[in-house]
Each structure stands twice: as structure tokens, then as C-alpha cells.
PDB file of all heavy atoms in Angstrom:
ATOM      1  N   LEU A   1     120.002  95.108 179.217  1.00 94.00           N
ATOM      2  CA  LEU A   1     119.010  94.513 178.306  1.00 94.00           C
ATOM      3  C   LEU A   1     118.934  92.978 178.516  1.00 94.00           C
ATOM      4  O   LEU A   1     117.881  92.382 178.384  1.00 94.00           O
ATOM      5  CB  LEU A   1     119.370  94.858 176.865  1.00 94.00           C
ATOM      6  CG  LEU A   1     119.145  96.327 176.469  1.00 94.00           C
ATOM      7  CD1 LEU A   1     119.657  96.586 175.056  1.00 94.00           C
ATOM      8  CD2 LEU A   1     117.684  96.699 176.615  1.00 94.00           C
ATOM      9  N   MET A   2     120.082  92.354 178.794  1.00 93.00           N
ATOM     10  CA  MET A   2     120.091  90.883 179.068  1.00 93.00           C
ATOM     11  C   MET A   2     119.276  90.578 180.331  1.00 93.00           C
ATOM     12  O   MET A   2     118.551  89.599 180.383  1.00 93.00           O
ATOM     13  CB  MET A   2     121.502  90.392 179.219  1.00 93.00           C
ATOM     14  CG  MET A   2     122.275  90.299 177.897  1.00 93.00           C
ATOM     15  SD  MET A   2     123.859  89.459 178.116  1.00 93.00           S
ATOM     16  CE  MET A   2     123.348  87.792 178.516  1.00 93.00           C
ATOM     17  N   ILE A   3     119.407  91.451 181.330  1.00 93.00           N
ATOM     18  CA  ILE A   3     118.607  91.255 182.561  1.00 93.00           C
ATOM     19  C   ILE A   3     117.117  91.364 182.243  1.00 93.00           C
ATOM     20  O   ILE A   3     116.319  90.594 182.737  1.00 93.00           O
ATOM     21  CB  ILE A   3     119.046  92.292 183.636  1.00 93.00           C
ATOM     22  CG1 ILE A   3     120.502  91.992 184.054  1.00 93.00           C
ATOM     23  CG2 ILE A   3     118.066  92.285 184.795  1.00 93.00           C
ATOM     24  CD1 ILE A   3     121.024  93.042 185.025  1.00 93.00           C
ATOM     25  N   CYS A   4     116.768  92.325 181.427  1.00 94.00           N
ATOM     26  CA  CYS A   4     115.360  92.520 181.052  1.00 94.00           C
ATOM     27  C   CYS A   4     114.843  91.317 180.285  1.00 94.00           C
ATOM     28  O   CYS A   4     113.688  90.815 180.540  1.00 94.00           O
ATOM     29  CB  CYS A   4     115.165  93.783 180.179  1.00 94.00           C
ATOM     30  SG  CYS A   4     115.508  95.354 181.025  1.00 94.00           S
ATOM     31  N   GLU A   5     115.658  90.751 179.369  1.00 92.00           N
ATOM     32  CA  GLU A   5     115.268  89.580 178.621  1.00 92.00           C
ATOM     33  C   GLU A   5     115.057  88.383 179.540  1.00 92.00           C
ATOM     34  O   GLU A   5     114.072  87.644 179.410  1.00 92.00           O
ATOM     35  CB  GLU A   5     116.286  89.283 177.563  1.00 92.00           C
ATOM     36  CG  GLU A   5     115.996  88.090 176.687  1.00 92.00           C
ATOM     37  CD  GLU A   5     114.814  88.349 175.757  1.00 92.00           C
ATOM     38  OE1 GLU A   5     114.626  89.462 175.317  1.00 92.00           O
ATOM     39  OE2 GLU A   5     114.077  87.346 175.476  1.00 92.00           O
ATOM     40  N   TYR A   6     115.955  88.172 180.456  1.00 90.00           N
ATOM     41  CA  TYR A   6     115.879  87.003 181.333  1.00 90.00           C
ATOM     42  C   TYR A   6     114.659  87.158 182.300  1.00 90.00           C
ATOM     43  O   TYR A   6     113.953  86.206 182.549  1.00 90.00           O
ATOM     44  CB  TYR A   6     117.175  86.853 182.155  1.00 90.00           C
ATOM     45  CG  TYR A   6     117.130  85.727 183.176  1.00 90.00           C
ATOM     46  CD1 TYR A   6     117.152  84.376 182.698  1.00 90.00           C
ATOM     47  CD2 TYR A   6     117.021  85.993 184.512  1.00 90.00           C
ATOM     48  CE1 TYR A   6     117.085  83.333 183.641  1.00 90.00           C
ATOM     49  CE2 TYR A   6     116.982  84.917 185.427  1.00 90.00           C
ATOM     50  CZ  TYR A   6     116.997  83.595 184.956  1.00 90.00           C
ATOM     51  OH  TYR A   6     116.933  82.579 185.838  1.00 90.00           O
ATOM     52  N   ALA A   7     114.458  88.359 182.813  1.00 90.00           N
ATOM     53  CA  ALA A   7     113.312  88.582 183.741  1.00 90.00           C
ATOM     54  C   ALA A   7     112.014  88.316 182.993  1.00 90.00           C
ATOM     55  O   ALA A   7     111.059  87.735 183.516  1.00 90.00           O
ATOM     56  CB  ALA A   7     113.372  90.006 184.277  1.00 90.00           C
ATOM     57  N   ARG A   8     111.893  88.808 181.736  1.00 91.00           N
ATOM     58  CA  ARG A   8     110.668  88.540 180.981  1.00 91.00           C
ATOM     59  C   ARG A   8     110.425  87.075 180.717  1.00 91.00           C
ATOM     60  O   ARG A   8     109.316  86.595 180.783  1.00 91.00           O
ATOM     61  CB  ARG A   8     110.749  89.322 179.626  1.00 91.00           C
ATOM     62  CG  ARG A   8     109.458  89.208 178.801  1.00 91.00           C
ATOM     63  CD  ARG A   8     109.712  89.578 177.359  1.00 91.00           C
ATOM     64  NE  ARG A   8     110.699  88.690 176.758  1.00 91.00           N
ATOM     65  CZ  ARG A   8     110.419  87.490 176.295  1.00 91.00           C
ATOM     66  NH1 ARG A   8     109.193  87.000 176.364  1.00 91.00           N
ATOM     67  NH2 ARG A   8     111.395  86.754 175.780  1.00 91.00           N
ATOM     68  N   SER A   9     111.522  86.316 180.487  1.00 88.00           N
ATOM     69  CA  SER A   9     111.347  84.888 180.260  1.00 88.00           C
ATOM     70  C   SER A   9     110.812  84.158 181.488  1.00 88.00           C
ATOM     71  O   SER A   9     110.194  83.097 181.371  1.00 88.00           O
ATOM     72  CB  SER A   9     112.691  84.261 179.854  1.00 88.00           C
ATOM     73  OG  SER A   9     113.619  84.277 180.907  1.00 88.00           O
ATOM     74  N   LEU A  10     111.033  84.736 182.651  1.00 84.00           N
ATOM     75  CA  LEU A  10     110.517  84.141 183.881  1.00 84.00           C
ATOM     76  C   LEU A  10     109.144  84.664 184.264  1.00 84.00           C
ATOM     77  O   LEU A  10     108.534  84.256 185.237  1.00 84.00           O
ATOM     78  CB  LEU A  10     111.468  84.450 185.034  1.00 84.00           C
ATOM     79  CG  LEU A  10     112.900  83.844 184.961  1.00 84.00           C
ATOM     80  CD1 LEU A  10     113.707  84.236 186.189  1.00 84.00           C
ATOM     81  CD2 LEU A  10     112.855  82.312 184.818  1.00 84.00           C
ATOM     82  N   GLY A  11     108.621  85.626 183.462  1.00 86.00           N
ATOM     83  CA  GLY A  11     107.325  86.176 183.777  1.00 86.00           C
ATOM     84  C   GLY A  11     107.396  87.353 184.711  1.00 86.00           C
ATOM     85  O   GLY A  11     106.367  87.762 185.246  1.00 86.00           O
ATOM     86  N   HIS A  12     108.586  87.902 184.932  1.00 86.00           N
ATOM     87  CA  HIS A  12     108.764  89.041 185.840  1.00 86.00           C
ATOM     88  C   HIS A  12     109.184  90.273 185.021  1.00 86.00           C
ATOM     89  O   HIS A  12     110.353  90.545 184.825  1.00 86.00           O
ATOM     90  CB  HIS A  12     109.833  88.752 186.897  1.00 86.00           C
ATOM     91  CG  HIS A  12     109.551  87.604 187.753  1.00 86.00           C
ATOM     92  ND1 HIS A  12     108.549  87.620 188.698  1.00 86.00           N
ATOM     93  CD2 HIS A  12     110.091  86.374 187.833  1.00 86.00           C
ATOM     94  CE1 HIS A  12     108.488  86.438 189.285  1.00 86.00           C
ATOM     95  NE2 HIS A  12     109.442  85.655 188.824  1.00 86.00           N
ATOM     96  N   SER A  13     108.223  90.970 184.445  1.00 85.00           N
ATOM     97  CA  SER A  13     108.504  92.136 183.611  1.00 85.00           C
ATOM     98  C   SER A  13     108.437  93.425 184.408  1.00 85.00           C
ATOM     99  O   SER A  13     108.645  94.485 183.808  1.00 85.00           O
ATOM    100  CB  SER A  13     107.537  92.203 182.440  1.00 85.00           C
ATOM    101  OG  SER A  13     106.208  92.237 182.893  1.00 85.00           O
ATOM    102  N   GLY A  14     108.212  93.371 185.686  1.00 89.00           N
ATOM    103  CA  GLY A  14     108.151  94.577 186.535  1.00 89.00           C
ATOM    104  C   GLY A  14     109.591  95.124 186.740  1.00 89.00           C
ATOM    105  O   GLY A  14     110.537  94.405 186.830  1.00 89.00           O
ATOM    106  N   ILE A  15     109.609  96.480 186.885  1.00 91.00           N
ATOM    107  CA  ILE A  15     110.955  97.093 187.040  1.00 91.00           C
ATOM    108  C   ILE A  15     111.575  96.741 188.372  1.00 91.00           C
ATOM    109  O   ILE A  15     112.823  96.725 188.486  1.00 91.00           O
ATOM    110  CB  ILE A  15     110.786  98.650 186.898  1.00 91.00           C
ATOM    111  CG1 ILE A  15     112.186  99.336 186.854  1.00 91.00           C
ATOM    112  CG2 ILE A  15     109.925  99.193 187.995  1.00 91.00           C
ATOM    113  CD1 ILE A  15     113.038  98.857 185.714  1.00 91.00           C
ATOM    114  N   GLY A  16     110.792  96.428 189.403  1.00 90.00           N
ATOM    115  CA  GLY A  16     111.356  96.058 190.690  1.00 90.00           C
ATOM    116  C   GLY A  16     112.236  94.836 190.634  1.00 90.00           C
ATOM    117  O   GLY A  16     113.299  94.794 191.203  1.00 90.00           O
ATOM    118  N   TYR A  17     111.752  93.773 189.958  1.00 89.00           N
ATOM    119  CA  TYR A  17     112.516  92.565 189.791  1.00 89.00           C
ATOM    120  C   TYR A  17     113.805  92.815 189.002  1.00 89.00           C
ATOM    121  O   TYR A  17     114.866  92.299 189.355  1.00 89.00           O
ATOM    122  CB  TYR A  17     111.646  91.496 189.086  1.00 89.00           C
ATOM    123  CG  TYR A  17     112.281  90.146 189.028  1.00 89.00           C
ATOM    124  CD1 TYR A  17     112.061  89.196 190.038  1.00 89.00           C
ATOM    125  CD2 TYR A  17     113.092  89.764 187.970  1.00 89.00           C
ATOM    126  CE1 TYR A  17     112.626  87.920 189.987  1.00 89.00           C
ATOM    127  CE2 TYR A  17     113.686  88.503 187.924  1.00 89.00           C
ATOM    128  CZ  TYR A  17     113.448  87.577 188.926  1.00 89.00           C
ATOM    129  OH  TYR A  17     114.041  86.360 188.889  1.00 89.00           O
ATOM    130  N   ILE A  18     113.687  93.608 187.938  1.00 93.00           N
ATOM    131  CA  ILE A  18     114.844  93.945 187.129  1.00 93.00           C
ATOM    132  C   ILE A  18     115.899  94.691 187.883  1.00 93.00           C
ATOM    133  O   ILE A  18     117.112  94.393 187.812  1.00 93.00           O
ATOM    134  CB  ILE A  18     114.407  94.744 185.880  1.00 93.00           C
ATOM    135  CG1 ILE A  18     113.522  93.851 184.976  1.00 93.00           C
ATOM    136  CG2 ILE A  18     115.607  95.256 185.060  1.00 93.00           C
ATOM    137  CD1 ILE A  18     112.861  94.589 183.830  1.00 93.00           C
ATOM    138  N   VAL A  19     115.500  95.624 188.689  1.00 93.00           N
ATOM    139  CA  VAL A  19     116.411  96.432 189.492  1.00 93.00           C
ATOM    140  C   VAL A  19     117.118  95.570 190.535  1.00 93.00           C
ATOM    141  O   VAL A  19     118.340  95.698 190.777  1.00 93.00           O
ATOM    142  CB  VAL A  19     115.692  97.630 190.149  1.00 93.00           C
ATOM    143  CG1 VAL A  19     116.558  98.285 191.208  1.00 93.00           C
ATOM    144  CG2 VAL A  19     115.332  98.653 189.121  1.00 93.00           C
ATOM    145  N   ARG A  20     116.352  94.705 191.237  1.00 91.00           N
ATOM    146  CA  ARG A  20     116.992  93.821 192.237  1.00 91.00           C
ATOM    147  C   ARG A  20     118.040  92.920 191.607  1.00 91.00           C
ATOM    148  O   ARG A  20     119.116  92.717 192.217  1.00 91.00           O
ATOM    149  CB  ARG A  20     115.922  93.006 192.950  1.00 91.00           C
ATOM    150  CG  ARG A  20     115.066  93.778 193.917  1.00 91.00           C
ATOM    151  CD  ARG A  20     114.257  92.856 194.832  1.00 91.00           C
ATOM    152  NE  ARG A  20     113.291  92.053 194.062  1.00 91.00           N
ATOM    153  CZ  ARG A  20     112.076  92.496 193.752  1.00 91.00           C
ATOM    154  NH1 ARG A  20     111.656  93.696 194.115  1.00 91.00           N
ATOM    155  NH2 ARG A  20     111.260  91.690 193.072  1.00 91.00           N
ATOM    156  N   MET A  21     117.775  92.409 190.446  1.00 91.00           N
ATOM    157  CA  MET A  21     118.763  91.540 189.750  1.00 91.00           C
ATOM    158  C   MET A  21     119.957  92.396 189.335  1.00 91.00           C
ATOM    159  O   MET A  21     121.113  91.940 189.466  1.00 91.00           O
ATOM    160  CB  MET A  21     118.147  90.872 188.555  1.00 91.00           C
ATOM    161  CG  MET A  21     119.087  89.910 187.843  1.00 91.00           C
ATOM    162  SD  MET A  21     118.283  88.962 186.501  1.00 91.00           S
ATOM    163  CE  MET A  21     117.272  87.864 187.518  1.00 91.00           C
ATOM    164  N   ALA A  22     119.739  93.594 188.861  1.00 93.00           N
ATOM    165  CA  ALA A  22     120.853  94.486 188.474  1.00 93.00           C
ATOM    166  C   ALA A  22     121.732  94.815 189.649  1.00 93.00           C
ATOM    167  O   ALA A  22     122.950  94.817 189.587  1.00 93.00           O
ATOM    168  CB  ALA A  22     120.258  95.756 187.811  1.00 93.00           C
ATOM    169  N   GLU A  23     121.108  95.078 190.794  1.00 92.00           N
ATOM    170  CA  GLU A  23     121.900  95.362 192.016  1.00 92.00           C
ATOM    171  C   GLU A  23     122.725  94.167 192.417  1.00 92.00           C
ATOM    172  O   GLU A  23     123.872  94.299 192.857  1.00 92.00           O
ATOM    173  CB  GLU A  23     120.936  95.764 193.157  1.00 92.00           C
ATOM    174  CG  GLU A  23     120.279  97.120 192.921  1.00 92.00           C
ATOM    175  CD  GLU A  23     119.195  97.421 193.971  1.00 92.00           C
ATOM    176  OE1 GLU A  23     118.728  96.465 194.610  1.00 92.00           O
ATOM    177  OE2 GLU A  23     118.829  98.567 194.132  1.00 92.00           O
ATOM    178  N   ARG A  24     122.170  92.969 192.311  1.00 89.00           N
ATOM    179  CA  ARG A  24     122.895  91.749 192.669  1.00 89.00           C
ATOM    180  C   ARG A  24     124.047  91.523 191.726  1.00 89.00           C
ATOM    181  O   ARG A  24     125.182  91.190 192.147  1.00 89.00           O
ATOM    182  CB  ARG A  24     121.964  90.554 192.608  1.00 89.00           C
ATOM    183  CG  ARG A  24     122.581  89.201 192.984  1.00 89.00           C
ATOM    184  CD  ARG A  24     122.941  89.193 194.444  1.00 89.00           C
ATOM    185  NE  ARG A  24     123.496  87.916 194.833  1.00 89.00           N
ATOM    186  CZ  ARG A  24     122.790  86.861 195.257  1.00 89.00           C
ATOM    187  NH1 ARG A  24     121.457  86.996 195.363  1.00 89.00           N
ATOM    188  NH2 ARG A  24     123.365  85.772 195.586  1.00 89.00           N
ATOM    189  N   TRP A  25     123.863  91.763 190.434  1.00 91.00           N
ATOM    190  CA  TRP A  25     124.910  91.582 189.468  1.00 91.00           C
ATOM    191  C   TRP A  25     126.038  92.596 189.671  1.00 91.00           C
ATOM    192  O   TRP A  25     127.229  92.275 189.569  1.00 91.00           O
ATOM    193  CB  TRP A  25     124.381  91.707 188.063  1.00 91.00           C
ATOM    194  CG  TRP A  25     123.645  90.498 187.581  1.00 91.00           C
ATOM    195  CD1 TRP A  25     122.986  89.576 188.345  1.00 91.00           C
ATOM    196  CD2 TRP A  25     123.443  90.065 186.213  1.00 91.00           C
ATOM    197  NE1 TRP A  25     122.410  88.603 187.608  1.00 91.00           N
ATOM    198  CE2 TRP A  25     122.661  88.893 186.265  1.00 91.00           C
ATOM    199  CE3 TRP A  25     123.829  90.576 185.010  1.00 91.00           C
ATOM    200  CZ2 TRP A  25     122.284  88.203 185.127  1.00 91.00           C
ATOM    201  CZ3 TRP A  25     123.439  89.872 183.834  1.00 91.00           C
ATOM    202  CH2 TRP A  25     122.686  88.734 183.922  1.00 91.00           C
ATOM    203  N   ALA A  26     125.646  93.835 190.012  1.00 91.00           N
ATOM    204  CA  ALA A  26     126.656  94.841 190.254  1.00 91.00           C
ATOM    205  C   ALA A  26     127.470  94.525 191.493  1.00 91.00           C
ATOM    206  O   ALA A  26     128.695  94.702 191.541  1.00 91.00           O
ATOM    207  CB  ALA A  26     126.003  96.210 190.457  1.00 91.00           C
ATOM    208  N   GLN A  27     126.824  93.947 192.517  1.00 89.00           N
ATOM    209  CA  GLN A  27     127.534  93.554 193.746  1.00 89.00           C
ATOM    210  C   GLN A  27     128.496  92.391 193.462  1.00 89.00           C
ATOM    211  O   GLN A  27     129.566  92.290 194.032  1.00 89.00           O
ATOM    212  CB  GLN A  27     126.506  93.125 194.810  1.00 89.00           C
ATOM    213  CG  GLN A  27     127.104  92.770 196.159  1.00 89.00           C
ATOM    214  CD  GLN A  27     127.695  93.972 196.852  1.00 89.00           C
ATOM    215  OE1 GLN A  27     127.327  95.115 196.550  1.00 89.00           O
ATOM    216  NE2 GLN A  27     128.599  93.738 197.823  1.00 89.00           N
ATOM    217  N   ASP A  28     128.144  91.487 192.544  1.00 87.00           N
ATOM    218  CA  ASP A  28     128.984  90.344 192.176  1.00 87.00           C
ATOM    219  C   ASP A  28     130.019  90.716 191.127  1.00 87.00           C
ATOM    220  O   ASP A  28     130.789  89.829 190.704  1.00 87.00           O
ATOM    221  CB  ASP A  28     128.074  89.214 191.667  1.00 87.00           C
ATOM    222  CG  ASP A  28     127.205  88.634 192.763  1.00 87.00           C
ATOM    223  OD1 ASP A  28     127.489  88.924 193.930  1.00 87.00           O
ATOM    224  OD2 ASP A  28     126.235  87.952 192.455  1.00 87.00           O
ATOM    225  N   GLY A  29     130.020  91.929 190.679  1.00 89.00           N
ATOM    226  CA  GLY A  29     131.056  92.331 189.684  1.00 89.00           C
ATOM    227  C   GLY A  29     130.760  91.887 188.266  1.00 89.00           C
ATOM    228  O   GLY A  29     131.668  91.785 187.445  1.00 89.00           O
ATOM    229  N   ILE A  30     129.502  91.613 187.930  1.00 88.00           N
ATOM    230  CA  ILE A  30     129.163  91.203 186.588  1.00 88.00           C
ATOM    231  C   ILE A  30     128.825  92.427 185.770  1.00 88.00           C
ATOM    232  O   ILE A  30     127.755  93.004 185.855  1.00 88.00           O
ATOM    233  CB  ILE A  30     127.930  90.257 186.599  1.00 88.00           C
ATOM    234  CG1 ILE A  30     128.291  88.986 187.433  1.00 88.00           C
ATOM    235  CG2 ILE A  30     127.509  89.841 185.181  1.00 88.00           C
ATOM    236  CD1 ILE A  30     127.154  88.056 187.675  1.00 88.00           C
ATOM    237  N   THR A  31     129.793  92.860 184.968  1.00 79.00           N
ATOM    238  CA  THR A  31     129.643  94.103 184.215  1.00 79.00           C
ATOM    239  C   THR A  31     129.848  93.859 182.695  1.00 79.00           C
ATOM    240  O   THR A  31     129.496  94.735 181.891  1.00 79.00           O
ATOM    241  CB  THR A  31     130.617  95.163 184.664  1.00 79.00           C
ATOM    242  OG1 THR A  31     131.981  94.662 184.611  1.00 79.00           O
ATOM    243  CG2 THR A  31     130.327  95.548 186.113  1.00 79.00           C
ATOM    244  N   THR A  32     130.454  92.781 182.288  1.00 84.00           N
ATOM    245  CA  THR A  32     130.745  92.504 180.877  1.00 84.00           C
ATOM    246  C   THR A  32     129.741  91.494 180.308  1.00 84.00           C
ATOM    247  O   THR A  32     129.090  90.761 181.056  1.00 84.00           O
ATOM    248  CB  THR A  32     132.175  91.956 180.705  1.00 84.00           C
ATOM    249  OG1 THR A  32     132.290  90.640 181.321  1.00 84.00           O
ATOM    250  CG2 THR A  32     133.170  92.893 181.316  1.00 84.00           C
ATOM    251  N   LEU A  33     129.709  91.405 178.962  1.00 86.00           N
ATOM    252  CA  LEU A  33     128.793  90.463 178.328  1.00 86.00           C
ATOM    253  C   LEU A  33     129.176  88.985 178.598  1.00 86.00           C
ATOM    254  O   LEU A  33     128.354  88.148 178.729  1.00 86.00           O
ATOM    255  CB  LEU A  33     128.760  90.723 176.795  1.00 86.00           C
ATOM    256  CG  LEU A  33     127.851  91.862 176.335  1.00 86.00           C
ATOM    257  CD1 LEU A  33     128.008  92.036 174.838  1.00 86.00           C
ATOM    258  CD2 LEU A  33     126.406  91.601 176.699  1.00 86.00           C
ATOM    259  N   GLU A  34     130.499  88.762 178.688  1.00 89.00           N
ATOM    260  CA  GLU A  34     130.953  87.424 178.954  1.00 89.00           C
ATOM    261  C   GLU A  34     130.484  86.941 180.360  1.00 89.00           C
ATOM    262  O   GLU A  34     129.975  85.830 180.523  1.00 89.00           O
ATOM    263  CB  GLU A  34     132.491  87.342 178.894  1.00 89.00           C
ATOM    264  CG  GLU A  34     133.062  87.505 177.497  1.00 89.00           C
ATOM    265  CD  GLU A  34     133.090  88.947 177.041  1.00 89.00           C
ATOM    266  OE1 GLU A  34     132.769  89.848 177.863  1.00 89.00           O
ATOM    267  OE2 GLU A  34     133.339  89.193 175.836  1.00 89.00           O
ATOM    268  N   ASP A  35     130.667  87.809 181.316  1.00 89.00           N
ATOM    269  CA  ASP A  35     130.190  87.458 182.660  1.00 89.00           C
ATOM    270  C   ASP A  35     128.679  87.310 182.746  1.00 89.00           C
ATOM    271  O   ASP A  35     128.172  86.440 183.384  1.00 89.00           O
ATOM    272  CB  ASP A  35     130.644  88.547 183.661  1.00 89.00           C
ATOM    273  CG  ASP A  35     132.160  88.653 183.825  1.00 89.00           C
ATOM    274  OD1 ASP A  35     132.800  87.614 183.519  1.00 89.00           O
ATOM    275  OD2 ASP A  35     132.620  89.683 184.251  1.00 89.00           O
ATOM    276  N   ALA A  36     127.977  88.179 182.004  1.00 90.00           N
ATOM    277  CA  ALA A  36     126.507  88.112 181.972  1.00 90.00           C
ATOM    278  C   ALA A  36     126.034  86.796 181.350  1.00 90.00           C
ATOM    279  O   ALA A  36     125.085  86.183 181.798  1.00 90.00           O
ATOM    280  CB  ALA A  36     125.944  89.296 181.228  1.00 90.00           C
ATOM    281  N   ASN A  37     126.703  86.388 180.221  1.00 90.00           N
ATOM    282  CA  ASN A  37     126.309  85.142 179.567  1.00 90.00           C
ATOM    283  C   ASN A  37     126.544  83.933 180.513  1.00 90.00           C
ATOM    284  O   ASN A  37     125.733  82.999 180.565  1.00 90.00           O
ATOM    285  CB  ASN A  37     127.079  84.948 178.286  1.00 90.00           C
ATOM    286  CG  ASN A  37     126.538  85.793 177.144  1.00 90.00           C
ATOM    287  OD1 ASN A  37     125.298  85.941 177.046  1.00 90.00           O
ATOM    288  ND2 ASN A  37     127.401  86.392 176.351  1.00 90.00           N
ATOM    289  N   ALA A  38     127.669  83.977 181.222  1.00 89.00           N
ATOM    290  CA  ALA A  38     127.984  82.893 182.168  1.00 89.00           C
ATOM    291  C   ALA A  38     126.934  82.854 183.295  1.00 89.00           C
ATOM    292  O   ALA A  38     126.484  81.767 183.695  1.00 89.00           O
ATOM    293  CB  ALA A  38     129.375  83.043 182.734  1.00 89.00           C
ATOM    294  N   ARG A  39     126.531  84.012 183.788  1.00 88.00           N
ATOM    295  CA  ARG A  39     125.541  84.033 184.881  1.00 88.00           C
ATOM    296  C   ARG A  39     124.153  83.551 184.371  1.00 88.00           C
ATOM    297  O   ARG A  39     123.494  82.817 185.093  1.00 88.00           O
ATOM    298  CB  ARG A  39     125.463  85.449 185.456  1.00 88.00           C
ATOM    299  CG  ARG A  39     124.378  85.649 186.498  1.00 88.00           C
ATOM    300  CD  ARG A  39     124.470  84.674 187.703  1.00 88.00           C
ATOM    301  NE  ARG A  39     125.672  84.868 188.461  1.00 88.00           N
ATOM    302  CZ  ARG A  39     125.743  85.681 189.519  1.00 88.00           C
ATOM    303  NH1 ARG A  39     124.687  86.383 189.882  1.00 88.00           N
ATOM    304  NH2 ARG A  39     126.836  85.822 190.201  1.00 88.00           N
TER     305      ARG A  39
END
């Protein structure tokens, strides 16, 4: 949901942008709210 909120703030509400960011976060090990807030 944080990824969706950030993508919408940039004007990217498409699911493709959201998925690419989610894949990048998963690769970087960002799985908790603390890590997400820092990113």
C-alpha cells in the first residue's frame, strides 16, 4: 500500500509501475514498514 501511495503521488497509478517498484524493493530486502519508510 505504501508503494501504491508513493506511485500515485508521482502520477504513476498504473499497475506496471507499482509492480516494478515492488520487485525492486523485494530484491533490496525491503519488507518491513521501517525499511519502507526509510526508502
Side-chain angles (χ1 to χ4, degrees):
L1 290 175
M2 286 188 67
I3 293 176
C4 293
E5 180 69 34
Y6 178 71
R8 185 198 60 81
S9 68
L10 298 178
H12 300 290
S13 58
I15 188 60
Y17 187 91
I18 293 171
V19 167
R20 286 193 297 272
M21 183 173 289
E23 290 172 341
R24 181 68 178 270
W25 283 26
Q27 184 69 20
D28 294 343
I30 299 174
T31 56
T32 65
L33 279 177
E34 291 77 9
D35 295 337
N37 282 321
R39 174 56 65 91

